[in-house]
């Protein structure tokens, strides 16, 4: 029963997309792609935000807010540009 009580409601995994190491945008910025997998094991919908910290003038490019319904798993891609 201890393991059940320690189970996290929302599991988030982020991994770099290695098919292309990076791309250069029209403005000259470097863009890296990442895969985001979110599994919601809870009983309520979960909202997921991705933020970056520590990269001067860096920004996360995420197409839309991610809401994962209870009991579902979602996979998507986001980008970090600098």
């Amino acid at each position: 029963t201890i393991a059940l009580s320690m189970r996290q409601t929302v599991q988030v995994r982020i991994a770099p997309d290695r098919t292309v190491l990076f791309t250069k945008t029209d403005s000259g910025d470097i863009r890296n792609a990442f895969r985001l997998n979110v599994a919601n094991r809870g009983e309520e919908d979960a909202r997921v935000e991705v933020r970056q910290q520590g990269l001067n003038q860096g920004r996360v490019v995420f197409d839309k807010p991610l809401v994962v319904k209870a009991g579902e798993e979602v996979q998507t891609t986001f980008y970090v540009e600098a």
Side-chain angles (χ1 to χ4, degrees), residues 12 14 36 48-52 60-62 66 78-80:
V12 177
I14 297 175
L36 172 67
V48 176
E49 294 181 23
V50 178
R51 299 179 189 170
Q52 72 84 24
V60 173
V61 180
F62 203 53
L66 185 62
F78 71 93
Y79 304 92
V80 175

Side-chain angles (χ1 to χ4, degrees), residues 48-78:
V48 176
E49 294 181 23
V50 178
R51 299 179 189 170
Q52 72 84 24
Q53 163 178 3
L55 181 62
N56 292 339
Q57 298 181 5
R59 64 192 167 282
V60 173
V61 180
F62 203 53
D63 292 335
K64 57 187 173 195
L66 185 62
V67 177
V68 183
K69 295 189 181 290
E72 291 189 356
E73 184 171 338
V74 174
Q75 298 177 3
T76 190
T77 300
F78 71 93

